[in-house]
Every structure is written in C-alpha cells, then in structure tokens.
Amino acid sequence: QVAAVNYVDTRNVSFNTRMPGTFVSEVIYGSSGGESNMTMINDSTFSQLYVVNASTKIHVASSDYSDPARNHFMYRINNGEWQYLSGTNEILVSGLLPGTYRVMLRSSNADMTWSYDVKTIYIRIESPLTEK
C-alpha cells in the first residue's frame, strides 16, 4: 500500500495578470417624455450624451471572459473618488444639477487586475427651463 501527500507550492501558481479592456455596452437615459436606449456597437464613437432632467444607466463590460461573474468595475464622476460597483456592471447616475459631467469607467479581470484602460463618457444635464 502506497501513501501519498499532494503539495501545491502557491509561489508557482500564476494568476491572470492580463489587463482587460473596458467597454461601454449600453446607455439608457430617460426624461419627462419616457426612456431611450442606446446600445453601443463601437463604444469609441460615443462621446456625449444629452439628458433633459433625467437619470442615466450606464452598462460597462470587461474584455476578460475567463470568469465574467468575477469581473469588477468602478467609476467616478468628474474628479471625485472612485466608486466600486459591488456585484453589478450598472452605474445609475441621477440627482445631478444641470451641467456637463465626465464619467470615467474602469474594469478588472477575475483576479482583480485593474485595467489602465479608462473609458470616459460625458453627460450633459440641461435645465428644465431649456426643454423644448
């Protein structure tokens, strides 16, 4: 009879250190007249979104598909603190005063390697007085 012990030297385990790309996959925005949806075919062509008195949902994605359920995301508005999204890839932007805002987005792979690829979109919230 042979007895054996398995041993794994964790110093030799490689993690996924590839930095993923960050993508905006969908933007949903509403106004007093209803809700509109913009699905991104090529997110590099999307630069500005005009919203009238509304909230905006931004869906962000990562290019790492090894374990998508474990990808993580964060965002910040203008130069604010980075906000970590827990268990979701959806950002809800609401309650902002009229003006133009820069929303910056980042993603990680399943092993929490954060992308240097920051996607930026701009949201312009118009005053209800300027509605047409």
Side-chain angles (χ1 to χ4, degrees):
Q1 187 174 26
V2 176
V5 175
N6 289 329
Y7 172 76
V8 175
D9 184 354
T10 57
R11 293 174 297 180
N12 295 325
V13 174
S14 67
F15 293 93
N16 181 359
T17 58
R18 187 186 73 76
M19 289 185 206
T22 302
F23 302 95
V24 176
S25 59
E26 184 175 41
V27 176
I28 302 169
Y29 56 98
S31 68
S32 56
E35 192 173 78
S36 298
N37 176 301
M38 182 181 296
T39 301
M40 311 315 293
I41 295 170
N42 177 354
D43 76 342
S44 64
T45 63
F46 183 72
S47 62
Q48 216 166 57
L49 171 67
Y50 295 94
V51 181
V52 177
N53 200 18
S55 65
T56 303
K57 291 179 191 173
I58 303 167
H59 292 181
V60 61
S62 171
S63 65
D64 179 58
Y65 303 110
S66 62
D67 190 356
R70 291 183 46 218
N71 290 342
H72 300 274
F73 306 95
M74 66 170 81
Y75 74 99
R76 73 177 180 179
I77 298 175
N78 292 338
N79 291 322
E81 294 291 321
W82 283 101
Q83 303 296 314
Y84 179 77
L85 296 173
S86 181
T88 184
N89 69 331
E90 180 180 283
I91 301 159
L92 176 62
V93 180
S94 64
L96 298 175
L97 296 174
T100 301
Y101 297 89
R102 181 181 65 210
V103 181
M104 300 171 73
L105 312 157
R106 288 180 70 194
S107 64
S108 80
N109 65 18
D111 289 325
M112 296 295 289
T113 299
W114 287 95
S115 172
Y116 289 129
D117 178 29
V118 176
K119 287 294 180 194
T120 303
I121 65 171
Y122 294 89
I123 298 174
R124 181 171 172 215
I125 305 207
E126 296 181 344
S127 169
L129 299 176
T130 61
E131 281 188 42
K132 296 179 181 170

